[in-house]
Amino acid sequence: MENSSTIIAQLQQILNAEQLLTRENDKAYYTKGFRVGQGQALAVAIPETLLQLWQVLKACVACDKIILMQASNTGVTGGSTPDGNDYDREVVIVSTRRIKGVQVIDNAQQVIAFPGSTLTELEKALHPHQKEPHSVIGSSCIGASVVGGVCNNSGGSLIRRGPAFTEKSLFAQINNDGVLSLVNHLGVFLGTTPEEMITRLESQDYTTGTEADWEGKIWADDYASVIRDVEANSPTRFNGNAQYLHDSAGSAGKVAVFAVRLSTFDRGDTTQTYYIGTNDEKELVDLRRYLLQNLKELPQQAEYIHRHAFDMTVRYSKHVYWAIDRLGPEALPSLMAKKARWDVRVKKTGLLPLNVVDKVLQTVNNLTPKRVAKRILDYRDQFEHHLMIKTEARHAPELQRLLTPFFAGREGQFFACDEREEKDAFLVRFGVGGCTVSYCDSKGIDTNQRLMAFDVALRRNDDQWRIVLPPHLQAQVLEDSCCGHFFCFVNHQDYILKAGVDPQVFKHEVLEYLDQRGARYPAEHNVGHQYHASDEYEQHMRQLDPTNSCNPGIGKTSKNKFWL
């Protein structure tokens, strides 16, 4: 387009050479999603400060470019990458991964997090204060950002805290007239101009603790009562739920978020995990209802994994959970970036298969031990369904008193994990998310065509957990993986389709089945480019972004300016 050189020249005045990517190979890591999603972008801008971010946004608006905000690019529905090449304006990806910063405020009761801060970094910032954030494991293992979680209303695995949510944030928004403004809803006075607000925020030149300062929710504080209502004919949480749509919360990239204000939580004492195995799915469904109705204190986590997902993980994602164990979750983003660079180098040679790096990884995985505690492997051999329930040590006696009579005379069994078993159980559980991607990469399977991921919130009173496909659909599946946040009744089901299967027809039929069950989807990974936004959700996005300049097409909406 005619002003392509203009926007590039303007961005070059703001960013140095390594912060502005225009070559296809350099942009590849940012234009392709972690699981699905891929498209073209004119450039990738990587600001390192909030002021640079503001300047980049101003330049993009002045040149009438599409702004696609991207944090860690760890999403699973393609919502933070371009979707194809049929936009009516050129796309500039704005990566916030380098804009780090966590400000601990009000005696560590709250934090203000910048757009590049990850859950792992937030955990570390709060650790000296005996506090922890809304989410502490799961997506954090692959470097997910704090702000990305809020923008997607991500649910996470912690039972008592619900979806990521806040009514307090600082964000840039384009109004009906195409004018960019910086909106301060953080609850602290930062000045009047964007530059002053940014400078005072970065230097922490503000006052907190006033009465007005505390007005507005900064977490889903009603969630514990929601999840205990096991008779309700609706899910606990799902994307597009109007209850959790406010400014940046649930915004799905329709505004550019500079900072969010969130609650912190007291860090619990030592934990105890119970590992449960059964071949009867109904036993687990009954156990969920029984515990939610009878436990005085909800556990921290209740995570499900199917045996086949377990097998896929210890075979194809071993390198992921091994790296987390040895190097810590904070190492994952840089390792993923290094792998992406090696993929580009291989592609440049033209002499080797494009997936040669994945083949090397899988060869190592295949030749090395599973690195999983023996009792857990024994349960894998005995049982199809696996559930791990973690609670504070002080609440463990009550949980054990309920588990013991429940399983008396039943097929299922349980054991109290030692420290090694607890660690291994959750390493495997949170390695599941990438096992189907690793499988596809190693086999040269295009994830955009053959990997179908369903992120489903089941009714709280549903008496069934698994997604049971009709025979003609099951016959189209090559491999599958199922895990989930069991007490929340949020099911993550992946299908790798056989060659030649029409993915859109397959997906349509599965969604029809889920509609019949009264499920809502997606549950916590945002609509991305995989799901249709509800009418209510689309209206919220139109209100946030009336010119449709930020992440157009999200939720299968219009990609055109002014939503035409």
Side-chain angles (χ1 to χ4, degrees):
M1 296 187 181
E2 59 182 20
N3 64 349
S4 298
S5 58
T6 303
I7 181 63
I8 296 298
Q10 291 189 20
L11 293 176
Q12 286 172 335
Q13 294 298 311
I14 302 166
L15 308 170
N16 62 39
E18 70 161 4
Q19 293 177 271
L20 182 62
L21 311 179
T22 56
R23 294 186 303 181
E24 292 304 316
N25 286 338
D26 294 336
K27 293 184 291 184
Y29 177 69
Y30 301 88
T31 56
K32 186 177 187 301
F34 171 63
R35 284 201 187 186
V36 297
Q38 189 168 8
Q40 291 182 353
L42 174 66
V44 178
I46 313 174
E48 295 182 346
T49 65
L50 293 178
L51 184 58
Q52 280 189 340
L53 173 58
W54 174 250
Q55 293 169 338
V56 166
L57 295 174
K58 284 202 302 182
C60 291
V61 171
C63 293
D64 196 24
K65 301 303 178 189
I66 285 172
I67 299 167
L68 204 162
M69 300 299 298
Q70 186 180 99
S72 297
N73 195 16
T74 58
V76 299
T77 57
S80 57
T81 54
D83 178 49
N85 308 312
D86 57 341
Y87 295 91
D88 65 345
R89 292 149 289 167
E90 290 176 316
V91 175
V92 175
I93 296 173
V94 181
S95 171
T96 61
R97 62 170 58 238
R98 294 187 187 178
I99 310 177
K100 306 290 187 182
V102 172
Q103 298 177 351
V104 181
I105 61 175
D106 292 320
N107 297 316
Q109 295 179 73
Q110 300 182 10
V111 295
I112 291 178
F114 289 5
S117 58
T118 66
L119 293 176
T120 302
E121 291 161 352
L122 182 53
E123 281 184 62
K124 287 187 173 182
L126 291 175
H127 193 269
H129 304 280
Q130 303 300 311
K131 292 282 189 174
E132 63 185 21
H134 170 271
S135 301
V136 297
I137 196 169
S139 297
S140 59
C141 291
I142 52 173
S145 74
V146 177
V147 167
V150 172
C151 292
N152 293 329
N153 283 149
S154 298
S157 65
L158 295 182
I159 293 169
R160 305 166 194 160
R161 299 177 193 172
F165 176 74
T166 183
E167 294 180 356
K168 292 181 177 291
S169 63
L170 177 71
F171 58 94
Q173 184 176 31
I174 304 170
N175 67 17
N176 282 295
D177 298 322
V179 176
L180 183 72
S181 60
L182 191 61
V183 181
N184 179 15
H185 288 172
L186 274 175
V188 293
F189 181 71
L190 295 171
T192 55
T193 69
E195 290 78 10
E196 182 186 7
M197 285 189 258
I198 289 168
T199 300
R200 291 185 61 173
L201 176 61
E202 288 183 321
S203 61
Q204 208 163 342
D205 178 19
Y206 54 80
T207 302
T208 64
T210 65
E211 184 175 343
D213 183 29
W214 285 85
E215 292 178 359
K217 284 191 173 188
I218 53 174
W219 70 290
D221 54 12
D222 62 339
Y223 190 69
S225 60
V226 171
I227 199 172
R228 283 190 185 274
D229 186 1
V230 294
E231 303 297 340
N233 198 38
S234 59
T236 58
R237 52 180 164 94
F238 56 91
N239 286 133
N241 183 349
Q243 183 178 358
Y244 300 121
L245 299 178
H246 186 93
D247 290 348
S248 63
S251 59
K254 303 305 287 184
V255 296
V257 183
F258 282 59
V260 293
R261 185 170 176 175
L262 302 165
S263 181
T264 67
F265 302 86
D266 292 335
R267 193 166 76 238
D269 57 10
T270 56
T271 58
Q272 177 65 65
T273 290
Y274 291 91
Y275 200 98
I276 297 163
T278 180
N279 290 309
D280 184 353
E281 174 190 318
K282 190 176 185 304
E283 273 190 5
L284 289 188
V285 175
D286 290 344
L287 176 65
R288 170 184 172 271
R289 175 180 288 264
Y290 169 71
L291 291 179
L292 286 175
Q293 288 178 318
N294 290 284
L295 279 172
K296 292 180 181 177
E297 184 70 34
L298 290 173
Q300 290 183 359
Q301 295 167 283
E303 294 296 307
Y304 171 90
I305 180 171
H306 188 266
R307 176 161 56 193
H308 193 61
F310 184 104
D311 292 344
M312 291 273 287
T313 302
V314 298
R315 170 61 182 87
Y316 295 100
S317 280
K318 187 193 306 176
H319 60 292
V320 175
Y321 69 73
W322 181 83
I324 294 168
D325 186 25
R326 294 298 179 91
L327 304 176
E330 64 274 12
L332 262 292
S334 62
L335 291 176
M336 290 168 63
K338 287 177 182 177
K339 177 188 175 297
R341 286 195 291 270
W342 273 105
D343 287 339
V344 169
R345 289 169 184 160
V346 169
K347 183 179 179 180
K348 280 183 178 180
T349 68
L351 301 175
L352 297 170
L354 296 181
N355 64 337
V356 68
V357 177
D358 299 285
K359 285 184 175 291
V360 170
L361 285 173
Q362 295 310 324
T363 298
V364 174
N365 282 348
N366 198 33
L367 295 175
T368 53
K370 294 177 178 177
R371 297 189 177 94
V372 179
K374 183 180 183 302
R375 277 204 293 184
I376 295 175
L377 291 176
D378 288 343
Y379 263 48
R380 178 265 162 226
D381 294 338
Q382 288 179 258
F383 300 114
E384 178 182 0
H385 306 285
H386 297 238
L387 179 65
M388 51 214 74
I389 303 178
K390 179 189 287 189
T391 192
E392 289 87 356
R394 67 182 183 274
H395 299 311
E398 181 198 15
L399 180 55
Q400 180 147 347
R401 282 196 301 270
L402 291 172
L403 289 174
T404 300
F406 180 87
F407 282 108
R410 295 178 185 256
E411 181 189 20
Q413 299 176 27
F414 73 93
F415 65 86
C417 295
D418 60 27
E419 186 176 347
R420 159 77 191 282
E421 290 165 337
E422 178 177 284
K423 181 184 72 172
D424 285 0
F426 282 94
L427 280 173
V428 172
R429 165 60 186 88
F430 292 109
V432 174
C435 72
T436 49
V437 177
S438 295
Y439 178 93
C440 289
D441 288 344
S442 67
K443 306 292 185 184
I445 294 173
D446 183 353
T447 55
N448 285 297
Q449 292 298 316
R450 292 176 56 188
L451 176 57
M452 303 299 296
F454 295 92
D455 170 25
V456 183
L458 301 171
R459 300 185 336 268
R460 283 170 280 177
N461 64 356
D462 202 327
D463 59 3
Q464 187 178 351
W465 164 247
R466 293 295 309 280
I467 296 174
V468 181
L469 296 180
H472 77 283
L473 287 180
Q474 190 62 52
Q476 300 175 40
V477 174
L478 178 65
E479 296 285 354
D480 74 280
S481 167
C482 178
C483 62
H485 311 306
F486 195 67
F487 278 18
C488 299
F489 243 28
V490 168
N491 184 309
H492 298 309
Q493 177 70 60
D494 285 6
Y495 296 108
I496 301 172
L497 303 181
K498 294 178 180 177
V501 172
D502 186 325
Q504 296 308 314
V505 173
F506 179 89
K507 179 181 178 180
H508 177 72
E509 291 195 48
V510 175
L511 294 182
E512 278 189 340
Y513 159 80
L514 294 173
D515 289 339
Q516 292 169 9
R517 285 183 61 175
R520 298 294 296 266
Y521 45 82
E524 60 182 9
H525 289 149
N526 200 268
V527 289
H529 291 288
Q530 300 296 302
Y531 297 96
H532 284 278
S534 66
D535 291 342
E536 190 173 41
Y537 198 7
E538 181 174 340
Q539 287 305 311
H540 175 68
M541 292 191 284
R542 284 174 175 262
Q543 181 182 7
L544 290 176
D545 182 22
T547 67
N548 203 21
S549 297
C550 297
N551 207 6
I554 196 79
K556 298 190 177 294
T557 58
S558 170
K559 291 182 177 180
N560 298 326
K561 193 170 183 178
F562 295 113
W563 301 84
L564 298 176

